[in-house]
Amino acid sequence: MKQRIGKRFPFLYRLRVQQLMLQRRIINLNPLIKYAYNKSTQPYTYTVKKHKSILRRVLGNTDPILQENKIVNLKIALREVDGIVIHPGETFSFWKLIGVTSKEKGYIEGLMLSHGEVRVGTGGGLCQLANMLYWLALHTPLMIKERHHHSFDLFPDDRRVIPFGTGTSVFYNYVDLQFYNPTENRFQFHLDVTEAYLEGSISCDTELTYDYRVKEKNHSFYETSNKWYRGNEIWRQKVNKHDDSIVDEELVNVNHAEVKYMKSNGTQENE
């Protein structure tokens, strides 16, 4: 309903966005929240998790140049995040670090997801960076303070190597990605854009006692009211390094997304 109203009355949508942005600015003024701002060029000794994601993927009939533009945008955003240290008691905020993705900063048009559709906007493509940060953080004891999932699954899996539903949606400034460090350790993100991949890792100043694994459960495609949906559960497991036993596990998020590439008979549109 909200999406239909927003499309029919664009000015109401813009007004709502301005309201949400103002609310977030007020929240950010809270002196009790200590945000992570400090960087270090010296990486910590203990690497907790590494990952890399493909920069150029098959995304329906979208213009390939927009993926090249995305790479430009990623390189700009990485300057603000690479090397950032999350000290004990600090909160990492995606948008507090990156700020507005304006043309003045060098950002160009890339793909963005809005109202379940693909559109073009300045700074588009930064979801891939947010996805990387979220996946790395899931493999640590960092607390996921804020994360928003996509309500639509727009494209079939193309060389996916991590479970569906481990991505995140970001939109300046009120749809944020935040992690809180409840431990006594310091964590640091390292990020780089190579020719073919966005590469990332998270390191710690102390060797962790436990490993952290991410598991998908109850994945399924299902049809409701002539629409196809995809759902699953994402769990984070705390694992003993000595005997590989599961010490604890927590339900991180439950995903429920409308699938846009399924025909009524359940086959994929591009098959």
Side-chain angles (χ1 to χ4, degrees):
M1 178 62 72
K2 291 181 180 179
Q3 293 175 359
R4 290 197 297 267
I5 293 175
K7 289 182 179 180
R8 187 172 181 181
F9 303 103
F11 73 95
L12 291 178
Y13 172 75
R14 291 193 294 269
L15 185 64
R16 178 57 174 163
V17 168
Q18 292 299 318
Q19 179 188 25
L20 292 171
M21 290 175 67
L22 178 59
Q23 289 177 354
R24 179 50 63 106
R25 291 192 186 101
I26 294 173
I27 292 172
N28 288 345
L29 294 175
N30 186 344
L32 298 179
I33 304 176
K34 297 180 181 179
Y35 290 101
Y37 280 117
N38 297 321
K39 290 184 179 181
S40 175
T41 56
Q42 183 66 34
Y44 291 145
T45 304
Y46 302 97
T47 299
V48 181
K49 180 66 176 179
K50 290 182 178 181
H51 185 65
K52 62 181 181 180
S53 59
I54 296 170
L55 290 171
R56 301 169 183 86
R57 297 177 56 202
V58 178
L59 300 177
N61 297 319
T62 59
D63 188 348
I65 193 62
L66 294 175
Q67 295 206 49
E68 302 304 316
N69 291 359
K70 173 191 69 176
I71 297 172
V72 173
N73 293 335
L74 286 171
K75 289 180 178 179
I76 297 173
L78 255 58
R79 300 171 192 163
E80 309 301 329
V81 183
D82 180 40
I84 197 74
V85 176
I86 311 175
H87 291 87
E90 286 188 340
T91 294
F92 171 96
S93 166
F94 187 85
W95 289 122
K96 286 285 284 185
L97 291 172
I98 292 176
V100 180
T101 55
S102 63
K103 293 180 180 179
E104 289 74 20
K105 292 181 180 179
Y107 287 101
I108 56 181
E109 290 190 337
L111 292 177
M112 304 177 73
L113 303 182
S114 178
H115 296 300
E117 298 175 351
V118 179
R119 65 181 181 87
V120 176
T122 303
L126 295 191
C127 276
Q128 184 167 358
L129 173 57
N131 293 346
M132 170 69 75
L133 294 169
Y134 181 57
W135 179 249
L136 293 174
L138 284 176
H139 290 82
T140 73
L142 291 175
M143 184 180 77
I144 311 302
K145 189 174 179 180
E146 180 178 348
R147 176 259 179 184
H148 303 265
H149 73 277
H150 293 292
S151 57
F152 295 88
D153 188 20
L154 296 176
F155 305 109
D157 294 348
D158 175 36
R159 293 170 285 179
R160 180 189 294 276
V161 296
I162 63 176
F164 162 75
T166 50
T168 181
S169 177
V170 287
F171 188 88
Y172 183 84
N173 61 353
Y174 60 93
V175 182
D176 201 2
L177 175 66
Q178 296 189 3
F179 315 124
Y180 174 74
N181 185 359
T183 76
E184 297 181 355
N185 304 320
R186 292 177 294 172
F187 293 88
Q188 184 181 33
F189 285 115
H190 312 275
L191 300 142
D192 189 25
V193 171
T194 64
E195 177 59 30
Y197 296 97
L198 170 63
E199 299 186 358
S201 67
I202 186 167
S203 61
C204 186
D205 61 349
T206 305
E207 185 174 11
L208 297 179
T209 306
Y210 302 97
D211 287 328
Y212 293 84
R213 298 175 184 169
V214 179
K215 295 296 182 181
E216 176 188 48
K217 298 183 181 182
N218 301 319
H219 177 273
S220 66
F221 287 93
Y222 47 94
E223 188 177 13
T224 303
S225 301
N226 295 320
K227 293 182 179 180
W228 279 93
Y229 293 87
R230 187 178 189 177
N232 70 352
E233 298 172 355
I234 301 299
W235 292 75
R236 174 162 57 181
Q237 297 178 337
K238 185 177 180 180
V239 181
N240 192 312
K241 288 186 175 182
H242 300 293
D243 59 10
D244 209 37
S245 61
I246 298 174
V247 177
D248 188 24
E249 66 175 354
E250 64 171 313
L251 176 62
V252 178
N253 53 269
V254 178
N255 296 294
H256 173 75
E258 183 181 346
V259 178
K260 292 293 189 176
Y261 50 84
M262 301 287 277
K263 296 180 180 179
S264 60
N265 64 0
T267 60
Q268 293 188 0
E269 291 282 3
N270 64 341
E271 290 183 344

